Amino acid sequence: MEFGFLFPNNTNFPVPPVKITSDMQLKWLIELNKRHHTPLCVTLIRREQPMNRPNAANEADDEVRDELYHNRDDFWNTVEIARDDDVVFPETNATQRPPEIVQDNEEEFPFTNDDLIASQSIAAETKRRILFRETEDMASKSKIPVIDLQDLPEKIVKACEEWGCFRLVNHGVPMELMSQMKAVSRSLLDLPMEMKERNSHPEHGKGYIPLNMASPYFDSLSLYDMASPGVVDDFCAQIDASHNQREIIEKYVFALYDLAQNLGSKLMKGLGLSGDLFMKGWPCQVRMNKYNYSPETVGLTGAVMHTDPGLFTILQDDETVNGLEVVNNSTGELVSVDPISGTLVVNVGDMAKVWSNGRFHSVKHRVQCYKPNIRLSIVLFVLGPKDEKVEAPPQLVGSDSRRLFVPFDFEVYRKLRTTTNSPTGEALKLFLAKD
Ligand SMILES: O=C(O)CCC(=O)C(=O)O
Ligand SMILES: [Fe+2]
């Protein structure tokens, strides 16, 4: 028996780095998935023997069968492994006959054929219904705060404390520039894989992220430390961007950078401090994200639950394809952040929590696939200081001078998030100050 990965039809999916060639390996993968903090989120397809095409009783039957057999040499069952305990056979052409059963002779894994059989017929439909209900629920729940950049700084601070995210309107970035940047990002992300891979960086997470086991539908181009001289030019040279594309990227990233600085000073003011929140020495990273969604990925996760590691993030979300969800800090519920054209989303990151001595909340969020359409987002991450340690200013520490976190190096923290598999900021505990 042979296993492969299921790819959406509409993208140039590369072959991912893992190949499953036996039932044993499949079971190992399922088991690993159960134990793993971060779901592996893979979809596997299991090749079946071609079925003999039945004789057509009449023309109408023939048409139906033509539809069914269209362009298919093989038959596939789909085994989807999306999260803990989640072993699902979504609807496939296998509904035409009894499904194949994975043999389970190995005692060491508590995984039985029954798990597969029980879930296969109902799972896909149930999953879709649950997703639909969840979406409806979310729509009726309270939404994230909306902030006008001209609002009082105290209101912005309140949103950072209570939600750790807000939708920003009247932000000063021209709408035309936003749509131009979206179009440029789309055309660059549609380039062949070999071109996108030229956007490499020696350090993990700072260059191109290809589709991978943890995020099989997501790839992303990156400009690391975008305010440093030559970074836009280098990026454009890497991927052969045209003169026009280069101009748009440059205008956009600097407009966003100005906005980030403006927002930074409002936060300072709102907290009763003066000066800039971050300086030129703080690296900022721009990411152009593409969620390669298709009918097969509806209901699955495009970006796993995480917090952003840096200070804050300014996000241009896809204005037509929703999917961003944030955790409401007071209720713990997931709230769908629906797009509003021409606006931006701001997320507070882990460094803001540290810098504000725990006042700001770093928001947990993820991106789900609600619709089978490609989703695009463009993100500016204000990260953390390069040459200094992250620490709360004395004014925010309070009269008892109790710092929640010891001063630490942002890059050390960023690496720890990866090595300790802490996508939602758990590694911050390692820097908690002792009493
Ligand atoms: O695509 C989105 O809407 C969110 C992206 C995101 O959370 C991130 O890149 O950290
Ligand atoms: Fe994020």
Side-chain angles (χ1 to χ4, degrees):
M1 189 168 303
E2 185 186 340
F3 293 102
F5 287 80
L6 184 67
F7 305 125
N9 321 326
N10 52 349
T11 53
N12 313 320
F13 261 52
V15 176
V18 174
K19 194 163 186 229
I20 302 293
T21 52
S22 68
D23 289 358
M24 192 56 212
Q25 281 179 330
L26 174 62
K27 278 180 262 173
W28 164 81
L29 187 65
I30 291 165
E31 192 55 28
L32 192 67
N33 203 47
K34 282 181 181 164
R35 290 182 198 162
H36 216 260
H37 286 297
T38 313
L40 295 173
C41 288
V42 298
T43 300
L44 299 164
I45 43 181
R46 188 157 51 123
R47 190 190 288 273
E48 305 290 353
Q49 291 306 309
M51 201 164 58
N52 286 336
R53 186 186 157 131
N55 291 332
N58 58 45
E59 249 176 52
D61 276 2
D62 211 12
E63 260 173 35
V64 171
R65 288 197 188 98
D66 273 347
E67 176 78 10
L68 219 80
Y69 292 86
H70 184 62
N71 277 343
R72 281 185 190 137
D73 298 318
D74 304 311
F75 285 80
W76 301 91
N77 277 341
T78 306
V79 182
E80 181 189 321
I81 304 168
R83 61 192 67 186
D84 286 359
D85 302 324
D86 191 353
V87 182
V88 180
F89 278 85
E91 309 121 308
T92 62
N93 45 8
T95 50
Q96 296 302 302
R97 60 186 168 147
E100 286 287 327
I101 294 164
V102 176
Q103 293 306 318
D104 181 36
N105 302 323
E106 303 293 332
E107 302 232 325
E108 67 253 49
F109 295 128
F111 161 68
T112 67
N113 292 335
D114 289 347
D115 293 337
L116 289 177
I117 299 164
S119 59
Q120 64 179 328
S121 54
I122 48 160
E125 187 46 36
T126 311
K127 198 166 187 175
R128 278 190 180 84
R129 277 206 219 116
I130 291 173
L131 183 77
F132 183 74
R133 253 206 327 270
E134 277 178 2
T135 313
E136 268 191 331
D137 278 0
M138 280 173 192
S140 64
K141 273 179 205 147
S142 64
K143 295 289 180 197
I144 61 169
V146 177
I147 298 286
D148 183 318
L149 194 59
Q150 302 316 320
D151 279 338
L152 288 178
E154 289 73 15
K155 188 172 170 194
I156 312 182
V157 165
K158 190 161 176 267
C160 294
E161 290 173 339
E162 290 179 1
W163 277 84
C165 84
F166 52 88
R167 191 167 280 287
L168 187 61
V169 300
N170 197 16
H171 46 64
V173 182
M175 257 184 102
E176 194 195 354
L177 183 58
M178 288 173 71
S179 6
Q180 286 172 332
M181 182 64 180
K182 190 176 172 196
V184 168
S185 305
R186 178 63 199 258
S187 59
L188 297 180
L189 284 157
D190 281 348
L191 287 170
M193 182 59 60
E194 314 81 73
M195 282 296 284
K196 293 190 276 190
E197 276 176 342
R198 284 166 45 181
N199 169 221
S200 62
H201 194 286
E203 284 180 66
H204 175 74
K206 293 184 175 170
Y208 176 63
I209 299 179
L211 307 162
N212 61 76
M213 276 286 273
S215 306
Y217 324 114
F218 170 90
D219 73 324
S220 168
L221 289 162
S222 165
L223 284 95
Y224 176 71
D225 204 357
M226 41 120 318
S228 294
V231 168
V232 173
D233 285 340
D234 291 348
F235 173 79
C236 292
Q238 282 174 331
I239 50 165
D240 276 353
S242 68
H243 178 70
N244 188 35
Q245 287 176 322
R246 201 203 83 92
E247 269 193 0
I248 292 168
I249 296 172
E250 189 168 64
K251 265 196 207 152
Y252 185 85
V253 297
F254 286 106
L256 264 285
Y257 188 72
D258 279 351
L259 171 60
Q261 288 209 308
N262 195 350
L263 196 57
S265 10
K266 302 246 172 197
L267 289 173
M268 291 287 279
K269 229 183 240 156
L271 289 165
L273 306 173
S274 56
D276 296 319
L277 171 52
F278 67 95
M279 312 292 286
K280 287 261 181 245
W282 283 50
C284 292
Q285 182 168 8
V286 170
R287 279 210 165 279
M288 301 170 206
N289 299 328
K290 183 180 179 197
Y291 298 84
N292 297 274
Y293 290 156
S294 71
E296 291 83 11
T297 64
V298 174
L300 301 183
T301 302
V304 294
M305 188 68 83
H306 66 282
T307 54
D308 292 339
L311 189 66
F312 61 80
T313 303
I314 306 181
L315 164 77
Q316 179 181 346
D317 49 346
D318 194 304
E319 60 192 1
T320 50
V321 186
N322 54 358
L324 175 64
E325 296 175 355
V326 301
V327 176
N328 177 337
N329 188 31
S330 11
T331 63
E333 287 169 311
L334 269 171
V335 174
S336 162
V337 179
D338 292 329
I340 304 176
S341 184
T343 69
L344 297 161
V345 175
V346 176
N347 286 338
V348 170
D350 295 341
M351 284 314 99
K353 179 173 174 172
V354 174
W355 175 81
S356 65
N357 210 28
R359 270 181 75 168
F360 287 177
H361 169 67
S362 63
V363 66
K364 286 188 193 157
H365 55 288
R366 67 175 186 179
V367 183
Q368 290 294 98
C369 173
Y370 291 175
K371 298 181 191 172
N373 305 30
I374 300 283
R375 179 176 187 278
L376 225 74
S377 64
I378 306 158
V379 190
L380 170 76
F381 298 103
V382 179
L383 297 170
K386 211 192 280 186
D387 303 320
E388 295 158 28
K389 300 212 178 289
V390 188
E391 62 179 323
Q395 299 93 318
L396 298 184
V397 175
S399 50
D400 60 354
S401 298
R402 195 182 173 287
R403 256 175 224 286
L404 276 186
F405 299 94
V406 296
F408 62 88
D409 198 73
F410 172 68
E411 279 302 322
V412 170
Y413 173 66
R414 186 161 145 143
K415 284 183 189 121
L416 268 172
R417 272 176 56 113
T418 314
T419 52
T420 61
N421 189 21
S422 317
T424 51
E426 300 85 339
L428 278 184
K429 289 196 193 112
L430 301 171
F431 300 105
L432 278 172
K434 306 226 161 42
D435 281 328

